[in-house]
Amino acid sequence: HAKALGRNRYCHFAPAMLEAVGERLQMGNDLRAAITAGQLQVHYQPVVELASGRIVGAEALVRWHHASRGWVSPARFIPVAEELGLINAIGERVFREAAGTALTLHRCAGLEAFQISVNVSPRQFVTPDALEGWLEHMRAIGLPGRCIAIEITEGLLLDERPEVARRLLEFRNADVEILLDDFGTGYSSMAYLKRFDIDSLKIDQSFVADMAGNGSDRAIVEAMIAMSRKLGLYVVAEGIETEAQRKVLCEAGCDFGQGYLFSAPVPRQRLLDMMRRPANGSER
Ligand code: C2E
Ligand code: MG
Ligand code: MG
Ligand code: MG
């Protein structure tokens, strides 16, 4: 019986699996072509100070518009890029673009401290040369370290290869803040936060989403914020969609947030327009 079931399962499984493999291959090829053709774009999602609504920075998020598929989510193509070794090329492109935008804003009166954060995959930390040029590039264009932050994930903190700690330290020494993205979804503990000198935590949007209706998620979020404050870390909450969520987070002592309530990720020019608008900085 088991054998029959196994064979049956095999028959059902194989075409789907082949399809998935083919799909990934196709996506990989298209992605490679898009990188070469310079077709990846970067959008920016504003990060606001929750108490005032003032925009203090933005997260750079890669965007890919595919000729026939339309917009492809980075949640789908980033893992493919990591697998195929394309993530360094993408990361480099996003960083250059983000640094240019940060420089433009840095030169605007009153926006010298504006910070743009860039997501960095674990792979980029262990590939020789992948991150080497970043600090050099910032120095070359005259962009202070504090205008850029990098977003890493909890898994990276478990990687004990010496180059990981060394690169994190190089960024820190250059005033580039280190943010721990999607906090709460991985395996790391508070002990790692101390060991690596993280500046801020980004509370994953899944906790924020369920906070209003779910007492235990609210308790988790409140505990994360309380612990972070005791450790001297800033807290950024992700995926804030409602005023009720903003209020709870604010009352719990969360400093910053991002989400559709404030703004979706927007193209570079739209971000620049938002920041130059005199209305920015007014109390909400
Ligand atoms: P992330 O770094 O956690 O980015 C936050 C994601 O939440 C973004 O999805 C953003 O568009 C989305 N988001 C923002 N506000 C809201 C909200 O109010 N509600 C909901 N439901 N979602 C919201 P996006 O742009 O699709 O990116 C997905 C993930 O792909 C990112 O998660 C990040 O892990 C990865 N990613 C994006 N760009 C890059 C990149 O340049 N390099 C690397 N390595 N990864 C990237
Ligand atoms: Mg992020
Ligand atoms: Mg995140
Ligand atoms: Mg996320």
Side-chain angles (χ1 to χ4, degrees):
H1 179 72
K3 203 172 169 190
L5 192 69
R7 191 178 294 133
N8 249 337
R9 215 180 261 156
Y10 180 78
C11 288
H12 287 292
F13 189 50
M17 200 173 91
L18 280 177
E19 214 173 281
V21 169
E23 158 100 12
R24 280 170 97 74
L25 273 176
Q26 185 63 54
M27 184 184 276
N29 287 336
D30 291 357
L31 191 53
R32 209 173 263 119
I35 293 167
T36 309
Q39 283 168 356
L40 295 185
Q41 301 167 33
V42 180
H43 282 191
Y44 301 89
Q45 183 172 41
V47 174
V48 309
E49 185 178 58
L50 288 184
S52 65
R54 190 172 60 99
I55 303 176
V56 296
E59 176 176 9
L61 293 158
V62 67
R63 291 291 178 263
W64 178 21
H65 191 267
H66 186 281
S68 56
R69 295 165 200 255
W71 292 103
V72 186
S73 165
R76 286 193 65 212
F77 73 80
I78 291 289
V80 175
E82 283 170 341
E83 201 173 300
L84 298 179
L86 300 172
I87 192 65
N88 294 320
I90 294 176
E92 185 72 22
R93 163 100 174 77
V94 173
F95 167 71
R96 291 273 167 146
E97 173 92 25
T101 302
L103 185 64
T104 300
L105 288 163
H106 175 66
R107 286 176 173 160
C108 296
L111 297 177
E112 295 86 356
F114 193 90
Q115 188 181 67
I116 295 188
S117 62
V118 177
N119 293 283
V120 184
S121 290
R123 248 321 257 272
Q124 293 172 268
F125 275 86
V126 292
T127 309
D129 299 338
L131 300 175
E132 299 294 339
W134 288 24
L135 295 174
E136 209 174 296
H137 178 70
M138 290 172 66
R139 273 191 294 271
I141 65 174
L143 182 68
R146 65 185 149 79
C147 295
I148 292 287
I150 55 169
E151 300 195 5
I152 61 170
T153 45
E154 290 170 274
L156 184 71
L157 302 182
L158 303 176
D159 191 324
E160 290 184 339
R161 277 172 283 191
E163 56 264 44
V164 173
R166 182 169 51 77
R167 296 222 160 99
L168 284 172
L169 195 63
E170 279 167 6
F171 280 117
R172 283 219 101 235
N173 288 341
D175 274 349
V176 174
E177 284 196 357
I178 299 167
L179 279 54
L180 194 55
D181 203 357
D182 304 336
F183 186 72
T185 60
Y187 299 99
S188 79
S189 70
M190 286 286 167
Y192 286 96
L193 304 182
K194 272 324 243 185
R195 198 174 118 203
F196 284 104
D197 249 336
I198 300 292
D199 296 282
S200 314
L201 296 185
K202 298 190 76 168
I203 296 180
D204 190 65
Q205 56 191 39
S206 59
F207 297 105
V208 175
D210 297 336
M211 209 176 50
N214 180 327
S216 64
D217 269 358
R218 181 168 170 163
I220 290 170
V221 169
E222 286 171 348
M224 281 178 180
I225 296 169
M227 275 192 288
S228 305
R229 291 180 73 94
K230 288 209 170 109
L231 288 170
L233 301 167
Y234 288 104
V235 192
V236 186
E238 300 188 279
I240 304 175
E241 295 183 354
T242 68
E243 172 55 27
Q245 289 165 342
R246 187 197 70 83
K247 197 155 171 281
V248 171
L249 288 161
C250 209
E251 283 168 4
C254 182
D255 311 285
F256 306 105
Q258 60 190 105
Y260 300 153
L261 175 66
F262 310 107
S263 171
V266 296
R268 171 193 153 95
Q269 191 54 51
R270 177 91 183 82
L271 177 75
L272 298 181
D273 292 345
M274 281 166 109
M275 295 314 299
R276 284 166 177 158
R277 215 175 45 199
N280 180 58
S282 65
E283 299 293 302
R284 49 173 29 244

